[in-house]
Amino acid sequence: GDPGRGTKLLETTLPLFRAGRYMPALLQSMLILGEGYWLAGRYDEARTLLDEILVTSRKCGARGYLAWACRILGEVNLEIDLHRAGPLLEESVSLFGSMGADNELAKSWAGQGRYLARSGKTREAKECLTKALDTFERLGTLIEPDKVRKELAGLLE
């Protein structure tokens, strides 16, 4: 619940993961730190770290980490570079969809819906947000459905 506290802890451990060069642990810790930066509003730091993950995960063929990085970086870019957000969120939808990772796919659809709404494409935004909501409800996800319902209600006003 406190991204500032979590990022401080991860910032101290990241050099250890880098030194160990065990890619699954390194990529996961980088992703969690990148997400923490995003949630804390530290967008430039998030973008730098997540861009590094994109390069590394593509090189390693780590599709799950790539999809996760695309989603988070897409969310970051909703705040700082809207044009870059769309392709990243589309890629995360494609990757998570091919993996059957439904909860993460729904998060990607929600992000894509936010991107489309900010781009003035209200009908398409509603479709993405509705797919996300339906999936979250089917899975019994606890927090995300309320967020998506609020976003959909904002589009209807």
Side-chain angles (χ1 to χ4, degrees):
D2 181 0
R5 191 170 139 213
T7 55
K8 284 181 187 176
L9 176 63
L10 282 167
E11 287 169 339
T12 63
T13 61
L14 190 59
L16 299 171
F17 287 118
R18 285 188 190 281
R21 295 185 182 192
Y22 180 60
M23 293 313 289
L26 176 59
L27 288 172
Q28 186 162 354
S29 64
M30 290 172 71
L31 279 162
I32 294 168
L33 180 56
E35 189 167 17
Y37 285 153
W38 162 51
L39 295 172
R42 295 168 62 181
Y43 303 128
D44 289 334
E45 291 163 289
R47 181 169 49 183
T48 298
L49 192 60
L50 293 163
D51 278 335
E52 181 183 344
I53 297 166
L54 289 180
V55 170
T56 304
S57 58
R58 286 186 203 286
K59 188 168 34 172
C60 295
R63 293 177 56 231
Y65 294 117
L66 175 60
W68 192 4
C70 284
R71 182 181 64 78
I72 298 168
L73 189 54
E75 295 281 4
V76 168
N77 280 299
L78 287 176
E79 304 301 326
I80 59 176
D81 187 358
L82 187 61
H83 298 296
R84 189 168 178 220
L88 288 162
L89 292 163
E90 285 178 28
E91 186 172 3
S92 71
V93 165
S94 175
L95 288 164
F96 282 131
S98 71
M99 289 181 240
D102 288 349
N103 197 65
E104 290 299 319
L105 174 60
K107 288 180 184 181
S108 297
W109 276 329
Q112 193 171 34
R114 285 187 287 278
Y115 163 73
L116 292 165
R118 290 181 188 182
S119 299
K121 299 177 181 178
T122 305
R123 184 183 56 77
E124 294 93 337
K126 288 178 190 175
E127 289 173 9
C128 286
L129 290 167
T130 300
K131 284 194 279 190
L133 180 59
D134 291 346
T135 302
F136 286 138
E137 289 178 337
R138 177 177 54 81
L139 295 172
T141 304
L142 298 178
I143 297 171
E144 298 298 324
D146 289 337
K147 292 179 187 177
V148 174
R149 278 188 203 95
K150 287 179 185 174
E151 290 171 318
L152 275 168
L155 289 176
L156 299 174
E157 295 174 354

